[in-house]
Amino acid sequence: MARRNRGPRLFRRPQSGVLAIVTTASAPLLRAEGIELSFGGVAALKSVSLDVQPGGITALIGPNGAGKTSLFNVISGFHKADAGRLIFDGTDFTNLATHKRAALGMARTFQNISLFPGMTVLDNIKLGAHTHLKTGVLAAGLFWGPARREETELRAQIEREIIDFLEIDHIRKTPVSMLPYGLQKRVELGRALAMRPKLLLLDEPVAGMNREETEDMARFILDLQEEWGVTVLLVEHDMSMVMDISDHVVVLNFGEKIAEGPPQEMQENPAVIEAYLGAAQDAA
Amino acid sequence: MLIGDYKATYAADEAIFRSWPVRYGFAAMVAGLVLLPFAANSFIVFLATQVAIYTVAITGLNILTGYTGLISLGHGALVGVGAYATAILANWLGVPFWVVIPMAVAVTAGVGLMFGLPSLRIRGLYLTIATLAASFIIVFVIEHWGSVTNGDSGITLAPASVFGIDLVSDPQKYALIVPIAVLAVLFAQNLFRTRIGRAFIAIRDSDYSAEIIGVGLTRYKLLAFGLGSAYAGLAGSLWAYNFLALLPTQFELQLSIIFLAALVVGGSARTLGPVFGAVFVILIPEMLKWVFGFLTPFNPTIVEYTAPANTIAYGLLIIVFMIFEPMGLAAIWTRIWRYINLWPFSP
Ligand SMILES: Nc1ncnc2c1ncn2[C@@H]1O[C@H](COP(=O)(O)OP(=O)(O)O)[C@@H](O)[C@H]1O
Ligand SMILES: [Mg+2]
């Protein structure tokens, strides 16, 4: 696999083209306005606002416990915000039921992988396409014409677009519980892709991965954005990856947004450096 | 023999009988089922019919508990609902069995849905307790709603009749019940080749992720209850036409526990699990009867212990399987099958 052996910086994004899209003042694909969330008195999010521009890769960074995952959970509907508004592609979905948010065109992966362990890789990915399928109970049980056709087409599409793309053809029939961590993360991305999302929320997609796996994942994310036109919002701790692939960075600290802007600027922003240094000193 | 199994097309790879051993295996099984009434004595045919009825019931429990992860202790009572609905509707309306059976299935699915409503608010052990309550309520109603169910004295019905022939002998009833059971198992197997079945498993494995990918929990949990109960209703209907007389006590908690035991021993979330489980729970009492019959000359009072011995045997076997083969007989079968497929090369 020749593509694997790339130097550490080869997944750097091209500096032209895509950036231009982001700098134009188009309507955001996702907008969160004044999100508040507390867990029994502990404020996890304090009036956080965030815009995700279509076509770009936005990174959400901040020290551990800053509230990044909590914000994802509010967006995907696991937590209900105490205050604030959520808008996707012009639609207010603040009060939309969790399972209906998939149909809007949002998909996510989890910091601690949340696959369906009893199923194979293929079935996990097929589940991502759930909202795009129509087969009802009777057609399913009889497995007649339309049901059969739908399943066959789904399989062909997944093979063509996802299994090939993520280079997981060798494990398609393996139960996910038997896969190593790095591959599970990749399968989880595959399941999210099968949802054919407009926006992909990735919570620490390379956490716990080795260098090579990290590079593969970064390449997948870049390809997704460039070839599939998917907008990405990602939480990441690997700073070199954030600097390399994102075109907009939002920084959270103690549940508050402390800065946002292009990656280079954030790297030099005193408040950001302070937050990370503070966190490092606390940990030490 | 068959090494690897690579398919030229995705359609072939998704097929229900993926390889020739499976195809021939299924054909051989069907041939065996057709020939059985001609080759075996009436008692064996009777047992086989009972296995078929239990298979349908346990397949329903498999959908609900095995695949969707909602443990039910009310399944036996729902089979009772199906059986009683069959007897009552047949007596009242005097319509043929093929009209009565779908009606009884619908009634049972409705009752099951009603008792499935708590699953929207509670889960795990609490839900199981709610189904336990459902079991008691259903049996209580059957026992005390005398004007309709005939209460403790039980109820009878006329045999199913095909082209004017009453199905009363064991081979006749076998000929009605076994094909329906085979179709019911195939229907369930097909469900799990599509989005419906995958959504059930998703809920079992991680209900939160299931919601994120767009599976509505309310809808699918109720669907699982509805389908599981429809299978219970079908099993009850076939039960009614097999025995032609029913007692409320037949559908008490004991039956639900036997179904759960069969599912664990046979292999849950496997298509063949309920089949193996049914064979198993039907044969255990027969084998014990045989053993006790053998021992009676030595100790005439031992017969009194037949019933508790059954219960103890079930309990012990559940424990043994949970410890040594949690995937059940179906997993053992898969290993044997793989060995046959790879023969003469050792796997
Ligand atoms: N389910 C929860 N219950 C209580 N507190 C929580 C819960 N989830 C997160 N928190 C708290 O909210 C804060 C933000 O956590 P989180 O969003 O996971 O941070 P991050 O993802 O940025 O590391 C932390 O103080 C955490 O302890
Ligand atoms: Mg987190």
Side-chain angles (χ1 to χ4, degrees), chain A residues 63-70 111-112 203-204 235 237:
Chain A
N64 258 331
K68 307 177 298 292
T69 299
S70 300
Q111 184 173 347
N112 317 303
D203 197 348
E204 307 208 8
V235 166
H237 265 305

Side-chain angles (χ1 to χ4, degrees), chain B residues 254 285 288-289 292 302-314:
Chain B
Q254 167 100 358
L288 282 175
K289 256 185 237 164
F292 277 81
I302 202 164
V303 188
E304 293 166 24
Y305 298 104
T306 314
N310 273 335
T311 313
I312 291 169
Y314 288 139

Side-chain angles (χ1 to χ4, degrees), chain A residues 101-279:
Chain A
R101 296 183 186 202
L104 286 179
M106 283 193 293
R108 81 172 274 191
T109 64
F110 295 84
Q111 184 173 347
N112 317 303
I113 307 171
S114 189
L115 286 163
F116 306 113
M119 281 189 261
T120 63
V121 168
L122 200 53
D123 279 343
N124 267 275
I125 296 175
K126 281 179 179 174
L127 260 159
H130 183 82
T131 51
H132 296 288
L133 306 177
K134 290 179 193 65
T135 302
V137 176
L138 200 60
L142 301 173
F143 208 68
W144 65 25
R148 181 184 303 268
R149 211 171 315 123
E150 184 173 87
E151 282 303 313
T152 317
E153 275 167 19
L154 172 66
R155 174 73 191 277
Q157 188 181 7
I158 285 176
E159 291 284 345
R160 198 171 57 234
E161 294 176 1
I162 297 172
I163 306 250
D164 259 17
F165 172 65
L166 295 177
E167 295 157 14
I168 48 177
D169 10 354
H170 56 299
I171 50 163
R172 57 162 79 79
K173 295 278 175 80
T174 312
V176 292
S177 54
M178 289 169 64
L179 294 176
Y181 180 82
L183 276 178
Q184 289 196 16
K185 281 247 170 201
R186 212 184 279 188
V187 174
E188 204 190 19
L189 177 62
R191 184 180 68 190
L193 289 180
M195 296 170 74
R196 279 176 260 155
K198 291 185 202 144
L199 175 67
L200 196 53
L201 301 146
L202 305 172
D203 197 348
E204 307 208 8
V206 300
M209 284 190 175
N210 64 31
R211 195 71 215 161
E212 186 189 326
E213 289 170 329
T214 302
E215 283 168 28
D216 280 340
M217 188 55 88
R219 176 164 52 81
F220 293 138
I221 296 172
L222 276 178
D223 283 353
L224 272 176
Q225 181 226 7
E226 281 160 18
E227 289 166 27
W228 294 43
V230 177
T231 305
V232 178
L233 174 61
L234 75 104
V235 166
E236 197 36 77
H237 265 305
D238 184 323
M239 284 315 264
S240 74
M241 169 156 153
V242 168
M243 294 306 146
D244 282 344
I245 73 169
S246 60
D247 34 42
H248 189 73
V249 178
V250 176
V251 190
L252 284 187
N253 192 24
F254 292 116
E256 274 177 297
K257 184 167 81 179
I258 56 167
E260 68 177 311
Q264 288 79 7
E265 253 175 56
M266 290 303 101
Q267 221 165 0
E268 290 146 19
N269 184 309
V272 177
I273 294 169
E274 169 73 35
Y276 270 87
L277 282 180

Side-chain angles (χ1 to χ4, degrees), chain A residues 68-122:
Chain A
K68 307 177 298 292
T69 299
S70 300
L71 184 58
F72 266 32
N73 285 340
V74 168
I75 295 170
S76 58
F78 185 47
H79 295 322
K80 184 147 176 32
D82 302 324
R85 238 155 60 94
L86 294 165
I87 296 153
F88 186 84
D89 217 1
T91 314
D92 187 316
F93 69 100
T94 317
N95 296 311
L96 192 68
T98 307
H99 72 271
K100 292 191 179 143
R101 296 183 186 202
L104 286 179
M106 283 193 293
R108 81 172 274 191
T109 64
F110 295 84
Q111 184 173 347
N112 317 303
I113 307 171
S114 189
L115 286 163
F116 306 113
M119 281 189 261
T120 63
V121 168
L122 200 53

